[in-house]
Amino acid sequence: MRLAKDTGGVVYVEFLIAFMPFMLMFLGMIQVALYLTANLIVRHAATTAARAAVVVLPDDPQYYGNAEINRIERGGGGGGVLEIGGLAIPSGGGSRLDAIRTAASIPLLTVSPSYSQLVGYSSVRRALTGAESRFLTGATVYNRTAVAVTFPSSAGADDNEDSFDTRGRVRTRVTYLFHCGVPVVSRLLCDDYLSLRTGFPRAAAEELAAAAASGDTDRVQAARERFAHASQRLAEESPGFDELNEAETPYAGVVYSVFGARFRVLRAEAEMTNQGAGFTYED
């Protein structure tokens, strides 16, 4: 009876019960703040890509492997080679596209994940610090997979133009695979790479299967709602994720799924007037 009436430690139990929701809210606020920051930087990257495009597209072919002016080459390496600091780096597209994509990628180095985040060592501290590691990982590995530049004919269009008028308007769209690095909430707010690639919410499907096996009707209903919500989110992300096929190494990101990394797709557009002079360059 004495043990049954003992109320020692009740405060600690109440604290633990109240702590978890507040902790989740705190982590969620950090992840959303990082997401919104990345969204602003993607908008800046789109403007940077547009500024690069209107001078790169009509520029002298000798600087771009004799690629035709006002045209974009794509696919299979495209024969493109990007020269940075005297180093020749093969690209996943033509040289002009590579130069534009590099211009878009530079601002995004600030929100690239570090190597430790990519391989699953997530923490709030790592999500907010480590600028040098972010820059290095983004420049050498991550942005090659996570940054794509396309050229829609109009705002929101799904096409991708490859030729441009000398003084016409050039619209660029930057698509970025944002890494969600805050532990716990990243699994609630973001999706794994294979789910984004296939459009099928694997984690929600596994939860639904477990709920069905338990025979608990309420649990099954809740799992169905989460599955439907996850499927809708993936459907909304699908057009943007498909544009990541225009990244330099589009399928290398499947490696990230091994470590359970989570992502969201961000897109932004900008439009400027092509700066071509209309004359022919000498050979």
Side-chain angles (χ1 to χ4, degrees):
M1 291 296 294
R2 292 181 57 190
L3 183 61
K5 294 181 179 180
D6 187 359
T7 59
V10 171
V11 173
Y12 296 104
V13 174
E14 292 175 346
F15 170 77
L16 290 173
I17 294 173
F19 173 77
M20 292 307 298
F22 280 103
M23 188 61 182
L24 285 175
M25 182 180 70
F26 173 71
L27 294 176
M29 290 173 62
I30 294 175
Q31 185 62 81
V32 170
L34 293 173
Y35 174 86
L36 294 176
T37 299
N39 194 44
L40 288 174
I41 295 175
V42 170
R43 293 183 185 181
H44 175 62
T47 302
T48 302
R51 288 176 175 173
V54 298
V55 295
V56 166
L57 288 170
D59 199 9
D60 193 334
Q62 69 173 314
Y63 301 118
Y64 305 95
N66 293 319
E68 184 180 352
I69 65 170
N70 291 323
R71 288 192 63 84
I72 291 292
E73 299 176 5
R74 299 188 182 90
V81 176
L82 178 64
E83 294 188 6
I84 302 179
L87 297 177
I89 303 174
S91 78
S95 295
R96 295 186 191 275
L97 175 58
D98 223 358
I100 297 168
R101 192 163 48 204
T102 299
S105 180
I106 291 173
L108 293 168
L109 294 176
T110 58
V111 289
S112 295
S114 64
Y115 175 77
S116 60
Q117 284 183 289
L118 280 178
V119 298
Y121 299 107
S122 296
S123 69
V124 175
R125 183 179 65 83
R126 284 192 174 97
L128 298 174
T129 60
E132 297 84 358
S133 179
R134 291 173 183 275
F135 289 174
L136 180 60
T137 304
T140 59
V141 180
Y142 188 72
N143 282 8
R144 293 175 179 267
T145 299
V147 179
V149 178
T150 53
F151 303 87
S153 58
S154 59
D158 293 327
D159 58 348
N160 191 5
E161 295 188 316
D162 56 13
S163 62
F164 306 88
D165 295 333
T166 299
R167 297 294 295 176
R169 301 291 288 178
V170 178
R171 176 173 288 273
T172 60
R173 177 186 294 148
V174 170
T175 305
Y176 181 66
L177 188 64
F178 170 67
H179 177 261
C180 301
V182 179
V184 183
V185 294
S186 61
R187 295 185 172 274
L188 302 175
L189 302 176
C190 308
D191 299 288
D192 67 277
Y193 187 89
L194 287 182
S195 293
L196 286 165
R197 175 63 68 183
T198 61
F200 182 76
R202 297 189 309 149
E206 292 172 359
E207 182 183 357
L208 180 58
S214 71
D216 187 331
T217 305
D218 293 337
R219 182 181 172 188
V220 170
Q221 181 60 32
R224 283 178 177 173
E225 292 176 358
R226 284 191 287 272
F227 180 85
H229 177 74
S231 298
Q232 181 180 358
R233 185 171 66 196
L234 288 173
E236 293 172 353
E237 301 252 26
S238 179
F241 192 85
D242 290 344
E243 289 175 349
L244 289 172
N245 291 330
E246 297 294 332
E248 185 176 349
T249 55
Y251 293 98
V254 71
V255 176
Y256 306 145
S257 62
V258 176
F259 304 107
R262 300 286 173 141
F263 307 93
R264 292 296 297 269
V265 179
L266 300 176
R267 298 198 291 174
E269 298 179 9
E271 183 178 292
M272 292 186 181
T273 301
N274 198 354
Q275 299 299 300
F279 55 80
T280 303
Y281 292 98
E282 294 183 358
D283 294 333

